[in-house]
Amino acid sequence: MGSVCVKGVSKVYASGHRRGGDVLALDNASFEVSDREFCSILGHSGCGKTTMLNLLAGFETPTAGELLVDGERVARPTWRRTVVFQDYALFPWMTVRDNVAFGLRMKKVPGVEREQIVARQLRLVGLDGFAGHYPHQLSGGMRQRVSIARALAVDPEVLLMDEPFAALDAQNRAAMQQELGRLLAESEAEARKTMILVTHSIDEAILLSDRIIVLTRRPGRIKADIEVKLARPRDESDDGYIRLKRHLRDLIHDEASVS
């Protein structure tokens, strides 16, 4: 189970200067994500998207409100909520196999079971032939697939992704979006994880999401909560896709015009 509930969450960062004002990053944000749902948090840079992800991960605490996963308050980081970062965050001295196995070792998963899980996750992301390679021997897209495999290997309830493809070039980014879309389309319903993606890309949000939360410019407030009712895999030439993209673009552009 991996239902997520964000209830009246605000986050203030103290400036640390006598004359500088505190920064209100999030203001009274509330939304829910159902078990096994893929939700994107979409908005301009600086709108509080990453702050929201850090709160959900337990890296930071809210100034007001609360965040719940399966009814339990988020109080600290845990393997139940794993994070895929923009910069891969792989251990350069470890092989692909050992990077994916890292969290399993921390959970003290027995050796044989650990090897089976690692092999399964590498097959899932199409890297079963690269288990003995090191991160510097891989392309950016391949490194990010290792990060996803490592995050999924510990069987989290919620997978959090902080603009995971932003560091890739356009071609690799599109390929990774298609790859993650394929995993979502092909995974059995009972095996899917609750996933929350932070992104500023409208296309990325539409291609991958069941729901899209749009944040206003700082302070981040919930501007729209949109259910995506498009069949997978998503077709960018589909009329429904085009209408949704236009609607999201209007929301974002409208936000820019009043900032």
Side-chain angles (χ1 to χ4, degrees):
M1 299 294 289
S3 61
V4 174
C5 181
V6 175
K7 300 171 63 176
V9 166
S10 296
K11 179 64 179 180
V12 177
Y13 292 102
S15 68
H17 299 284
R18 291 182 179 179
R19 296 186 178 182
D22 294 344
V23 176
L24 177 61
L26 291 170
D27 185 22
N28 195 31
S30 298
F31 64 92
E32 296 185 10
V33 181
S34 300
D35 182 37
R36 300 186 179 91
E37 189 171 40
F38 193 115
C39 177
S40 285
I41 301 176
L42 178 68
H44 290 280
S45 296
C47 73
K49 303 187 302 296
T50 295
T51 296
M52 179 64 75
L53 204 78
N54 287 337
L55 293 170
L56 287 166
F59 298 152
E60 300 180 18
T61 57
T63 306
E66 61 179 350
L67 304 97
L68 308 170
V69 174
D70 291 335
E72 181 178 330
R73 187 171 65 87
V74 173
R76 61 185 182 279
T78 169
W79 63 264
R80 295 173 60 191
R81 302 179 308 278
T82 54
V83 183
V84 176
F85 298 97
Q86 183 180 137
D87 61 355
Y88 321 129
L90 299 176
F91 300 113
W93 61 87
M94 290 186 182
T95 63
V96 166
R97 179 188 296 106
D98 289 339
N99 265 284
V100 176
F102 180 78
L104 298 170
R105 292 182 185 277
M106 296 299 99
K107 287 182 68 177
K108 301 187 185 305
V109 175
V112 173
E113 182 183 355
R114 186 170 65 238
E115 291 174 8
Q116 292 173 342
I117 293 172
V118 170
R120 182 169 65 248
Q121 291 300 329
L122 290 179
R123 283 196 303 272
L124 186 68
V125 298
L127 290 175
D128 44 326
F130 294 85
H133 286 60
Y134 288 87
H136 75 271
Q137 297 174 305
L138 306 177
S139 69
M142 294 168 76
R143 289 178 212 168
Q144 198 56 286
R145 280 190 274 169
V146 176
S147 296
I148 293 171
R150 181 179 62 182
L152 289 174
V154 295
D155 194 25
E157 296 170 5
V158 181
L159 180 65
L160 304 167
M161 294 178 283
D162 186 10
E163 301 204 54
F165 312 136
L168 304 178
D169 59 46
Q171 184 175 356
N172 275 317
R173 179 168 187 154
M176 284 301 301
Q177 289 168 352
Q178 292 175 357
E179 184 71 11
L180 187 52
R182 178 190 65 78
L183 293 177
L184 291 169
E186 294 180 1
S187 61
E188 298 180 5
E190 62 272 16
R192 282 188 61 177
K193 304 296 180 184
T194 303
M195 298 186 183
I196 298 179
L197 169 74
V198 159
T199 183
H200 63 267
S201 168
I202 292 174
D203 281 304
E204 190 165 88
I206 299 175
L207 284 168
L208 298 172
S209 306
D210 301 309
R211 288 190 34 246
I212 300 173
I213 305 293
V214 181
L215 290 183
T216 65
R217 283 186 180 271
R218 189 168 61 201
R221 303 183 178 97
I222 306 300
K223 181 164 189 174
D225 185 341
I226 300 169
E227 183 179 3
V228 182
K229 299 179 179 179
L230 301 174
R232 298 183 190 275
R234 305 277 160 81
D235 182 354
E236 297 179 43
S237 64
D238 178 76
D239 288 343
Y241 186 107
I242 295 170
R243 285 194 299 271
L244 179 55
K245 182 174 181 178
R246 184 180 301 119
H247 177 52
L248 289 169
R249 189 173 57 222
D250 288 345
L251 287 171
I252 298 295
H253 285 182
D254 176 62
E255 189 60 32
S257 68
V258 299
S259 62

